[in-house]
């Protein structure tokens, strides 16, 4: 069980992100300063930097991940891994209230449209794979260093980037729904992997 201090820190971090996303939606990312976010959350500027190293980090922070891990742990043993991941993701986002789901869609839109956020995410690519192995490996009873676990983690991160690409092309799409659709396609293998090439 988390301590009172940890719960308070989690609430402050969530509040900072909530106010930041609201301001980004109202004013735009560039026009919103760290000072604006701190003032909206009624904390000092220095408090912001105790939780986030830079403005882009407030967008990249994902507090839905722990909910996903809880949902994954609740999937019955024996469920094929990709099915379990899809079920956990669907349960996680179904359980979010309307505002929180809208915040998640906004976060992903900012990742697509703000160059410094996209660059920060690319720089964290290896870290993202490491984080994914952290919950995939125990679910399979394997080591996080297992090459198949790392390969799968990379494929899952790739699915997220593929979803971002599709939503960028078709803004009416939901990022969450598109990610689920891509994961469903991966259940039967990598699309087109066995298709013969036409040649030049």
């Amino acid at each position: 069980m988390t301590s009172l201090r940890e719960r308070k820190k989690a609430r402050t971090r969530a509040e900072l992100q909530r106010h930041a996303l609201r301001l980004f939606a109202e004013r735009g990312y560039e026009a919103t300063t760290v000072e604006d976010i701190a003032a909206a959350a009624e904390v000092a500027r220095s408090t912001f930097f105790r939780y986030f190293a830079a403005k882009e980090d407030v967008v990249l922070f994902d507090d839905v991940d722990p909910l996903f891990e809880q949902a994954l742990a609740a999937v019955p043993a024996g469920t094929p891994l990709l099915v379990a991941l899809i079920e956990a993701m669907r349960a996680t986002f179904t359980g979010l209230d309307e505002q929180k789901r809208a915040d998640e869609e906004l976060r992903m839109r900012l990742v697509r449209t703000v160059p410094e956020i996209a660059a920060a995410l690319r720089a964290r690519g290896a870290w993202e794979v490491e984080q994914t192995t952290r919950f995939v490996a125990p679910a399979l009873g394997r080591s996080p260093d297992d090459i198949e676990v790392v390969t799968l983690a990379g494929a899952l991160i790739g699915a997220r980037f593929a979803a971002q690409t599709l939503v960028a092309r078709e803004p009416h799409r939901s990022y969450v729904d598109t990610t689920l659709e891509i994961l469903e396609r991966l259940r039967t293998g990598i699309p087109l992997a066995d298709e013969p090439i036409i040649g030049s």
Side-chain angles (χ1 to χ4, degrees), residues 97-177:
D97 63 34
E98 187 176 340
Q99 182 59 56
K100 184 60 179 172
R101 181 154 175 165
D103 285 347
E104 288 302 296
E105 294 286 349
L106 173 58
R107 285 199 320 111
M108 294 303 102
R109 186 163 71 250
L110 291 168
V111 167
R112 290 192 302 276
T113 58
V114 179
E116 55 262 48
I117 300 176
L121 182 60
R122 286 193 299 272
R124 289 171 49 159
W127 180 85
E128 292 278 352
V129 171
E130 289 288 339
Q131 291 296 101
T132 303
T133 64
R134 184 170 56 83
F135 63 79
V136 169
L140 296 172
R142 294 200 183 194
S143 165
D145 298 323
D146 185 316
I147 189 169
E148 292 188 339
V149 171
V150 177
T151 299
L152 175 64
L156 294 174
I157 298 301
R160 290 168 56 182
F161 280 112
Q164 288 278 28
T165 300
L166 286 170
V167 175
R169 292 175 181 172
E170 303 173 48
H172 66 279
R173 278 181 172 270
S174 157
Y175 168 75
V176 172
D177 293 340

Side-chain angles (χ1 to χ4, degrees), residues 68 82-94 101 159-160 163 173-187:
F68 172 79
L82 200 50
V83 174
L85 293 172
I86 291 168
E87 288 182 3
M89 184 175 177
R90 187 170 284 122
T92 299
F93 283 95
T94 299
R101 181 154 175 165
R160 290 168 56 182
R173 278 181 172 270
S174 157
Y175 168 75
V176 172
D177 293 340
T178 303
T179 302
L180 285 167
E181 180 182 345
I182 289 170
L183 292 176
E184 286 283 2
R185 288 172 182 267
L186 287 176
R187 286 179 59 185

